[in-house]
Amino acid sequence: MSFDRLDWERVERRAMMILLVILVVYSIVCGLYSLSIAWQLPAVFAALLLILKVALEIREKLCAEPTVSMDYYGTNAEFYSEMWRRISQARRSVAAT
């Protein structure tokens, strides 16, 4: 069976989400049965590690977006025609200052 990088990332992401749910349940059980903090610390550190990994993954996706370009327009007509062209083709937002 051959897995490419996307398949492994999908499997890893799903495993992380399942593990986070398990850690939440474990934390609730520890609270209900008043278990020692020594039993809770490994779960807390594992949850923090997983949350950090998910946050970094989100940051990488956001930083992969292209940066804002700076263009010079000689006249107002050029600027406004280009602005309307970009607005009509925009996927999310247009930065025009």
Side-chain angles (χ1 to χ4, degrees):
M1 184 189 279
S2 164
F3 288 109
D4 61 353
R5 183 170 168 79
L6 279 176
D7 288 339
W8 280 115
E9 287 177 0
R10 189 178 323 136
V11 169
E12 182 185 23
R13 191 176 309 117
R14 184 166 291 160
M16 285 190 310
M17 294 303 153
I18 291 170
L19 188 57
L20 275 173
V21 170
I22 292 170
L23 289 172
V24 168
V25 171
Y26 179 77
S27 176
I28 292 170
V29 168
C30 286
L32 288 176
Y33 291 107
S34 300
L35 292 179
S36 165
I37 192 69
W39 287 97
Q40 296 178 29
L41 278 179
V44 169
F45 288 135
L48 287 174
L49 179 68
L50 290 173
I51 291 169
L52 180 63
K53 188 164 178 77
V54 170
L56 289 175
E57 193 176 292
I58 291 171
R59 188 180 106 191
E60 286 176 3
K61 287 182 182 177
L62 291 177
C63 290
E65 294 290 321
T67 59
V68 176
S69 64
M70 296 193 56
D71 300 318
Y72 175 77
Y73 302 101
T75 65
N76 285 344
E78 289 176 18
F79 170 76
Y80 285 111
S81 66
E82 182 65 17
M83 182 183 74
W84 287 115
R85 186 188 68 76
R86 289 186 184 199
I87 287 174
S88 66
Q89 294 177 354
R91 286 181 282 164
R92 286 195 198 158
S93 63
V94 174
T97 58

